[in-house]
Amino acid sequence: MYIAMVASECAPAAKVGGLADVVHGLARELQLRGQSVEVFLPMYDCMRYERISNLKQYWPDLWVPYYEGGCHCEVFHGEVDGLSCYFFRPHSKENFFNRGIYYGHNDDAARFALFSRAVLEFMYKSGRRPDIIHCHDWQTGLVAPMLFEIYQPLGMGHSRICYTLHNVHHQGLTGPHILRQSGLGMHLMDLDKLGDGRHPGAANLMKGGIVYSNFITTVSPRYADEIRHTELGHGLQATLAAHSGKFCGLLNGIDYGSWNPEVDNFIPYRYSFDNFSNKYANKEALRHRLLLQDKFKPIVSVVSRLDQQKGVQLISHALFHALANGAQFVLLGSGTEKSINDHFWALKQRFNDNPDCHIELSFNEELSHMIYAGADMIVIPSAFEPCGLTQIIGMKYGTVPVVRATGGLADTVCDANYSNKPYEERTGFTFDDFSEGALDSALGRAIGLWYKYPRYFNQLATNGMRQDYSWNKSGGDYINIFNHIRA
Ligand code: ADP
């Protein structure tokens, strides 16, 4: 099967968060299963070019329909961790992907609409006819409407679309001009198509992806339920209900080639559950690197984008709780919102000389691996979490997750104390309420167990390492879905 992955991120070359890991991990899994996979990405100036090999111009003159004229694009080809990737570089006065950051501009909808159209135009002109076009999140929501409205009549009737919702909090709301930009008719503004139910007159790109795709997935069973039946659907509940026959939740995996303490090149000492003591050597190395004192204390960590979704107020609260209860605290966080950044910069200054605390405000892939390997616990107090990868990565590294039981966090972490599963299957600590008290209780139980019953704590850590959250299962499920929609 020829599968085209169309997305705005792919690790490790273009990564903001979990979307990049998922596109990379799933594409690799599908390739390992013998499928022919190509990945289509925008060519951002801020990508990690050192992670792309053999980058070459592939198609010098791609004229992409844009309003009543055309936008000139170049297409490059390169390999990212063995994946064949095409990168689209538009040349226009808007400088769409040369802005130093991935997202956060007023014209993001226009940027990714142009990218979506460029990908289809390239497939059409270069004779590519994927069996499956797998699109991800609102940035590629227009691919399905464009395929069915514009390219099917031109002869691309063979391709089927699977669309994955990674986060329905961001839906790509924009004005109807986006349809004119993309060559789509104004009839798509109908409420059963792209017209947004809550914002009269607005076009909703994610809704377009849902309505026009042959199948829709989201990234965990619990989140599938939450977005259909609760406010977490942010207005898409009725649309998802109308299309429920082609919708399901499949848990994300992680790529154990990239996230595995037995083979990880970023960590100083490799380990598995058989030689767990090497984890302590990584703990020492982490302390050394972050100038933390070497004392008999657990390290509580956070590796996260810093935004409201991630529970920023509870993340700061975890810092105070950890320090007050005899733990060290390490935060690696990347934020885009000024007020949140200011808050954490103030905390960083305040705790600068504290030998038990380190706050790193940047995006740092290598340091993230060292933290997963060196910390004892990882806290994820999200307000909502479609799947969440950091708890899954944490478990693989024997770092016990302390999480709010929402979305994929609830699907993956089994509480040490409040579960009817055998102890061998319990992997962390969960709490329900989005409140400081609830977090205190779960983190308190984790730190308490570390001090009082280290043997049980270690067993919890190694239980997590034994779980299989590879792409093995969901990779097979995706292939079944692809076969189903091709039939
Ligand atoms: P989201 O996609 O909402 O950001 P996930 O838990 O699904 O959250 O995925 C987060 C991914 O991004 C993980 O691979 C995590 O290690 C990584 N990550 C998050 N923040 C940082 C950071 N500041 N530096 C390096 N990696 C980060």
Side-chain angles (χ1 to χ4, degrees):
M1 193 165 13
Y2 168 27
I3 300 160
M5 287 266 173
V6 188
S8 54
E9 299 180 33
C10 179
K15 171 164 170 174
V16 174
L19 170 63
D21 292 305
V22 172
V23 171
H24 164 261
L26 178 57
R28 271 176 52 94
E29 174 69 24
L30 295 170
Q31 205 168 48
L32 280 174
R33 287 167 176 263
Q35 312 300 332
S36 159
V37 183
E38 292 186 322
V39 184
F40 297 78
L41 297 159
M43 188 146 176
Y44 305 97
D45 58 351
C46 54
M47 284 192 303
R48 298 188 62 184
Y49 282 85
E50 80 281 6
R51 306 302 289 268
I52 308 173
S53 45
N54 301 322
L55 186 65
K56 288 190 193 78
Q57 191 193 55
Y58 180 85
W59 196 276
D61 292 309
L62 180 74
W63 282 95
V64 181
Y66 184 65
Y67 288 102
E68 282 72 36
C71 175
H72 179 237
C73 289
E74 259 176 299
V75 185
F76 286 76
H77 180 266
E79 274 138 44
V80 176
D81 200 14
L83 291 169
S84 170
C85 297
Y86 293 92
F87 299 94
F88 291 76
R89 174 189 271 172
H91 295 286
S92 72
K93 63 180 184 339
E94 290 90 348
N95 258 330
F96 281 126
F97 297 112
N98 291 332
R99 299 179 182 183
I101 53 171
Y102 292 94
Y103 310 122
H105 299 278
N106 288 337
D107 62 348
D108 276 358
R111 297 167 70 217
F112 291 103
L114 176 72
F115 164 66
S116 302
R117 181 83 204 239
V119 170
L120 285 172
E121 188 69 14
F122 172 66
M123 287 176 182
Y124 174 62
K125 290 205 172 127
S126 64
R128 282 176 171 70
R129 299 292 181 267
D131 299 300
I132 297 293
I133 304 179
H134 190 174
C135 300
H136 300 267
D137 260 354
W138 73 262
Q139 291 85 348
T140 57
L142 278 183
V143 172
M146 288 172 180
L147 178 72
F148 291 103
E149 296 277 331
I150 302 169
Y151 290 93
Q152 265 195 359
L154 294 174
M156 283 183 67
H158 168 80
S159 303
R160 296 286 173 271
I161 297 208
C162 177
Y163 183 49
T164 297
L165 311 174
H166 295 259
N167 190 339
V168 308
H169 186 55
H170 305 285
Q171 300 179 6
L173 280 191
T174 184
H177 66 276
I178 207 72
L179 300 177
R180 205 159 62 79
Q181 172 189 321
S182 310
L184 291 164
M186 280 300 152
H187 65 282
L188 267 73
M189 286 303 291
D190 289 354
L191 280 178
D192 62 352
K193 297 193 173 71
L194 276 69
D196 188 81
R198 290 191 173 177
H199 304 86
N204 182 323
L205 305 193
M206 181 172 268
K207 190 175 171 188
I210 294 172
V211 171
Y212 277 85
S213 294
N214 300 96
F215 207 91
I216 317 146
T217 66
T218 188
V219 291
S220 70
R222 172 78 74 111
Y223 190 59
D225 205 50
E226 289 170 347
I227 59 178
R228 256 203 71 180
H229 300 295
T230 75
E231 261 307 300
L232 287 180
H234 294 283
L236 287 177
Q237 297 92 311
T239 307
L240 289 169
H243 295 272
S244 61
K246 57 171 192 182
F247 174 54
C248 76
L250 291 181
L251 199 62
N252 281 338
I254 55 172
D255 177 39
Y256 284 158
S258 314
W259 297 109
N260 182 352
E262 291 174 54
V263 297
D264 193 327
N265 285 325
F266 289 121
I267 65 176
Y269 304 95
R270 313 264 173 86
Y271 62 100
S272 69
F273 46 77
D274 287 331
N275 60 344
F276 193 67
S277 55
N278 259 5
K279 183 165 171 68
Y280 305 120
N282 286 298
K283 183 170 178 177
E284 213 178 298
L286 180 67
R287 281 182 167 149
H288 190 71
R289 160 132 180 204
L290 302 182
L291 306 176
L292 296 176
Q293 64 180 338
D294 203 358
K295 276 249 173 106
F296 180 71
K297 290 182 174 195
I299 299 182
V300 174
S301 66
V302 172
V303 176
S304 185
R305 284 187 300 112
L306 296 173
D307 74 10
Q308 296 301 348
Q309 171 194 342
K310 300 294 179 182
V312 278
Q313 66 275 47
L314 293 186
I315 290 176
S316 345
H317 183 74
L319 182 164
F320 289 98
H321 180 100
L323 296 184
N325 287 277
Q328 295 183 318
F329 185 85
V330 169
L331 164 70
L332 172 60
S334 42
T336 47
E337 217 175 287
K338 184 173 178 319
S339 60
I340 295 176
N341 281 342
D342 289 350
H343 170 75
F344 282 98
W345 276 106
L347 277 182
K348 183 175 166 66
Q349 265 163 2
R350 177 167 166 193
F351 289 98
N352 214 13
D353 299 325
N354 189 315
D356 286 326
C357 183
H358 186 92
I359 297 179
E360 187 81 26
L361 298 175
S362 65
F363 188 89
N364 188 330
E365 185 82 17
E366 182 223 347
L367 180 59
S368 76
H369 286 248
M370 284 191 70
I371 293 174
Y372 290 120
D376 297 284
M377 298 157 209
I378 181 157
V379 180
I380 308 154
S382 304
F384 68 94
E385 193 61 73
C387 177
L389 297 179
T390 57
Q391 82 281 13
I392 299 179
I393 301 171
M395 284 190 270
K396 185 68 185 169
Y397 284 74
T399 301
V400 173
V402 179
V403 307
R404 178 153 179 264
T406 176
L409 295 169
D411 282 338
T412 51
V413 180
C414 176
D415 192 88
N417 305 113
Y418 303 110
S419 163
N420 43 23
K421 288 197 178 164
Y423 198 74
E424 303 79 70
E425 291 173 31
R426 302 186 198 178
T427 51
F429 297 88
T430 65
F431 59 99
D432 288 318
D433 285 351
F434 187 68
S435 68
E436 294 180 355
L439 169 65
D440 285 346
S441 151
L443 189 52
R445 286 190 287 131
I447 295 172
L449 191 71
W450 188 92
Y451 273 113
K452 291 199 204 105
Y453 301 98
R455 213 162 61 80
Y456 282 115
F457 187 89
N458 281 358
Q459 191 185 336
L460 209 56
T462 49
N463 288 348
M465 296 179 84
R466 288 191 166 85
Q467 305 297 312
D468 181 5
Y469 286 112
S470 66
W471 273 106
N472 191 22
K473 173 159 189 316
S474 296
D477 292 340
Y478 270 103
I479 293 206
N480 290 339
I481 288 172
F482 296 166
N483 282 327
H484 165 71
I485 56 180
R486 284 175 72 203

